[in-house]
Amino acid sequence: MVSTHPPEVQYSGNQYLPKISKEAALSPNQQLLPLTSTVNSKDCLVIGGCDVKTLVQQFGSPLYIVDEETLRTACRQYRDSFKHYYKGESQVIYASKAWSCLAVCAIVASEGLGIDVVSGGELYTALTAGVASDKIYFHGNNKSIEELVYAIESDCTIVVDNWNELRTLVDIVKSLHSASHPRIMLRLTPGIECHTHEYIRTGHLDSKFGFDPGDLDELFAFVSKQSAINCVGVHAHIGSQIFERQPHRDLAGVMVQWLEKAASYGLNLTELNVGGGLGICYTESDDPPSIEEWVKPICEVIQEACAGQNLPLPKLICEPGRSLVANSCVTAYTIGSAKKIPDIRTYVSIDGGMSDNPRPITYQSVYRTVVANKMSAPMTETVTIAGKHCESGDILIKNAQLPKTETGDILVVMATGAYNYSMSSNYNRLSRPAAVLVANGEANLILRRETYQDLVRQDCLPERLTHKVSQ
Ligand code: LLP
């Protein structure tokens, strides 16, 4: 990666602070640091009124730091943009795969959002956080029988992904002899291409998710005859970290055609879910649309298309993950050793890595970083930030621009709220970091740091091995 900072210009970590705008509210997905970020008189980064260095002293390192105001702002911008631009009913649901834990679910639910879950574990988390089941949508391309039964009994909406699941679900409902008929939506693959990483594209035809659009007639004919289930709508999701606006416009148009076709089979589908996918800023050169700019055209296309086809406006649902949580969070690490290889590079090592942020090694994702205790120091060094795992590929950031650093400095990696904690592991038996929620100068623990005892909690030592261990 080539440095984006011309050497003659001396930037500092302060360049990443949100730029206050008089004209428009800042869209969290367009900022690198959380919206409340400032620098105090000690030249330290402050988030949610809390000094990041002090947070690390108090809660340990590495540490996920979540800014409540940024998260709530993103929720409100989605919710209010739909209210503003859409004349029908709307519901924003949070794709909890981005970060599933009790506190995050509780915050988004308190802003009126629903939750998208993709496993029994995520469903359990959402229900435990107090999310109402009529606002929970259960996705997944291979739900187990146990998960389907759990979803039915919890009374959430099941987003059916394929024929096998549809037939299994009908059989389960019949066998339960229950009076209730689960609400379902049908996930379809729209065949819409967008330019994002291959692993996070889902809407093109060669995808493991959703019914093939070629099956639409057969599908609607089948569903219209099933009294065991209550089919309320259609769903599609075309991919993640998308900056283009056209794919979702196209999607909205295609989905209204599906509603029209369903009507010809006597199916009155009243809900339409356009998925998530809005991109965020990981670096200063990323330029995603704001939340409002993403919502507006989707509403316009659906309203126009429905008016053209004489269809009533469906309840419009979207399910963002990344753009709701990513920029509300940073990860703070402590700098340890450094290795300078003359004429090649300098490695600066931190106390975490691919176990708390697997995105660089998985998707070659690029992150930006600041030194929390040297915010206005000029960035004079180009170094490679290495994780502490026994793996050469465990590099968090190549060619990072930093001020001169020393052991004990606090390195903050920005925009780590989405798909970091949720994809974290215990590789090399590292314990997962703690997470704190910051607001108005107060910090609350939302995830306890794992202990060594936690790491062996699920281990079983067969009796015949205990002898050898104690010898
Ligand atoms: N709805 C469905 C059905 C999805 O599969 C996803 C993401 C979303 C909504 C939310 O998409 P978002 O708004 O977050 O783009 N681990 C990858 C991202 C995988 C996304 C999977 N599905 C990463 O770290 O980039």
Side-chain angles (χ1 to χ4, degrees):
M1 190 197 80
V2 179
S3 161
T4 52
H5 303 145
E8 67 275 14
V9 186
Q10 293 286 296
Y11 286 103
S12 74
N14 289 348
Q15 70 161 311
Y16 296 123
L17 293 172
K19 313 273 178 298
I20 305 300
S21 154
K22 280 203 190 89
E23 300 81 50
L26 297 179
S27 192
N29 70 316
Q30 296 179 318
Q31 305 299 319
L32 279 160
L33 277 169
L35 299 179
T36 62
S37 305
T38 55
V39 174
N40 66 15
S41 57
K42 294 185 214 142
D43 204 24
C44 280
L45 177 62
V46 173
I47 301 176
C50 299
D51 179 318
V52 168
K53 196 174 173 197
T54 313
L55 287 175
V56 169
Q57 282 160 357
Q58 198 180 344
F59 295 97
S61 177
L63 184 65
Y64 296 115
I65 301 170
V66 182
D67 180 42
E68 187 168 343
E69 188 173 321
T70 307
L71 178 55
R72 288 191 184 277
T73 301
C75 293
R76 288 173 193 159
Q77 287 188 1
Y78 266 108
R79 190 193 62 201
D80 297 346
S81 299
F82 275 103
K83 285 218 174 94
H84 184 74
Y85 293 109
Y86 195 62
K87 296 186 189 86
E89 196 187 341
S90 59
Q91 177 68 59
V92 179
I93 62 180
Y94 165 55
S96 67
K97 57 186 77 75
W99 183 329
S100 171
C101 73
L102 296 180
V104 171
C105 288
I107 290 172
V108 301
S110 72
E111 293 295 341
L113 274 61
I115 305 261
D116 140 11
V117 300
V118 293
S119 66
E122 285 185 359
L123 174 57
Y124 180 78
T125 306
L127 290 170
T128 308
V131 182
S133 59
D134 62 353
K135 285 190 175 173
I136 301 180
Y137 293 73
F138 198 135
H139 290 271
N141 63 308
N142 194 21
K143 303 176 190 78
S144 67
I145 306 267
E146 291 74 19
E147 285 174 326
L148 287 172
V149 171
Y150 185 25
I152 295 167
E153 286 173 349
S154 311
D155 215 17
C156 62
T157 304
I158 301 171
V159 184
V160 178
D161 191 273
N162 54 62
W163 281 106
N164 180 56
E165 184 185 329
L166 184 56
R167 295 199 173 100
T168 308
L169 185 65
V170 170
D171 289 347
I172 295 175
V173 177
K174 285 182 183 162
S175 72
L176 289 176
H177 302 296
S178 140
S180 70
H181 307 295
R183 273 168 45 93
I184 70 153
M185 297 184 80
L186 300 168
R187 176 169 184 169
L188 286 134
T189 315
I192 287 172
E193 296 282 342
C194 49
H195 300 107
T196 185
H197 193 289
E198 191 189 341
Y199 300 163
I200 53 180
R201 257 193 298 161
T202 49
H204 54 304
L205 288 174
D206 182 6
S207 162
K208 70 170 181 167
F209 297 105
F211 288 92
D212 190 279
D215 285 357
L216 216 56
D217 286 283
E218 204 187 335
L219 182 61
F220 287 153
F222 178 87
V223 171
S224 65
K225 293 189 201 104
Q226 305 305 318
S227 55
I229 49 176
N230 172 20
C231 184
V232 296
V234 282
H235 167 277
H237 171 75
I238 55 176
S240 200
Q241 184 59 357
I242 300 170
F243 287 10
E244 304 156 278
R245 295 171 212 197
Q246 197 55 38
H248 280 96
R249 282 196 193 113
D250 294 346
L251 175 68
V254 167
M255 293 188 83
V256 173
Q257 289 168 19
W258 294 344
L259 293 186
E260 204 192 345
K261 191 182 263 291
S264 69
Y265 283 89
L267 273 175
N268 178 25
L269 302 189
T270 54
E271 298 191 16
L272 191 156
N273 183 337
V274 295
L278 171 61
I280 65 134
C281 278
Y282 285 104
T283 76
E284 62 288 344
S285 48
D286 290 333
D287 188 20
S290 68
I291 290 173
E292 187 180 348
E293 286 166 341
W294 186 81
V295 170
K296 185 172 181 253
I298 293 174
C299 297
E300 285 170 354
V301 170
I302 289 175
Q303 280 163 173
E304 258 170 53
C306 285
Q309 309 298 332
N310 242 338
L311 285 171
L313 283 181
K315 174 171 170 180
L316 179 53
I317 304 170
C318 77
E319 52 191 24
R322 189 191 315 266
S323 51
L324 276 173
V325 282
N327 305 84
S328 65
C329 179
V330 302
T331 310
Y333 302 92
T334 303
I335 290 181
S337 47
K339 175 180 177 182
K340 191 171 183 151
I341 311 173
D343 303 324
I344 300 188
R345 72 178 76 245
T346 298
Y347 288 98
V348 169
S349 293
I350 47 151
D351 53 355
M354 60 184 285
S355 56
D356 60 76
N357 183 359
R359 298 193 70 259
I361 200 165
T362 313
Y363 313 115
Q364 297 76 51
S365 310
V366 178
Y367 282 86
R368 289 289 188 256
T369 181
V370 294
V371 176
N373 51 308
K374 295 179 176 168
M375 283 301 285
S376 54
M379 290 177 169
T380 50
E381 317 274 301
T382 302
V383 301
T384 288
I385 309 292
K388 66 176 276 156
H389 292 274
C390 290
E391 180 126 351
S392 301
D394 178 28
I395 298 296
L396 223 47
I397 308 175
K398 286 185 189 147
N399 300 328
Q401 301 294 302
L402 288 184
K404 203 169 165 27
T405 56
E406 55 212 320
T407 306
D409 281 341
I410 305 300
L411 186 98
V412 159
V413 176
M414 298 176 276
T416 56
Y419 307 110
N420 276 224
Y421 167 69
S422 64
M423 289 172 59
S424 64
S425 74
N426 289 123
Y427 183 43
N428 295 148
R429 287 242 145 163
L430 260 68
S431 36
R432 283 187 180 77
V436 284
L437 181 71
V438 291
N440 305 317
E442 203 184 300
N444 298 114
L445 199 59
I446 58 170
L447 288 170
R448 188 174 54 77
R449 183 176 305 281
E450 285 175 346
T451 61
Y452 290 155
Q453 289 77 17
D454 289 330
L455 293 174
V456 294
R457 183 152 292 141
Q458 302 305 118
D459 289 16
C460 302
L461 191 61
E463 185 66 34
R464 63 193 173 78
L465 300 181
T466 54
H467 174 63
K468 285 187 190 142
V469 169
S470 59
Q471 257 182 2

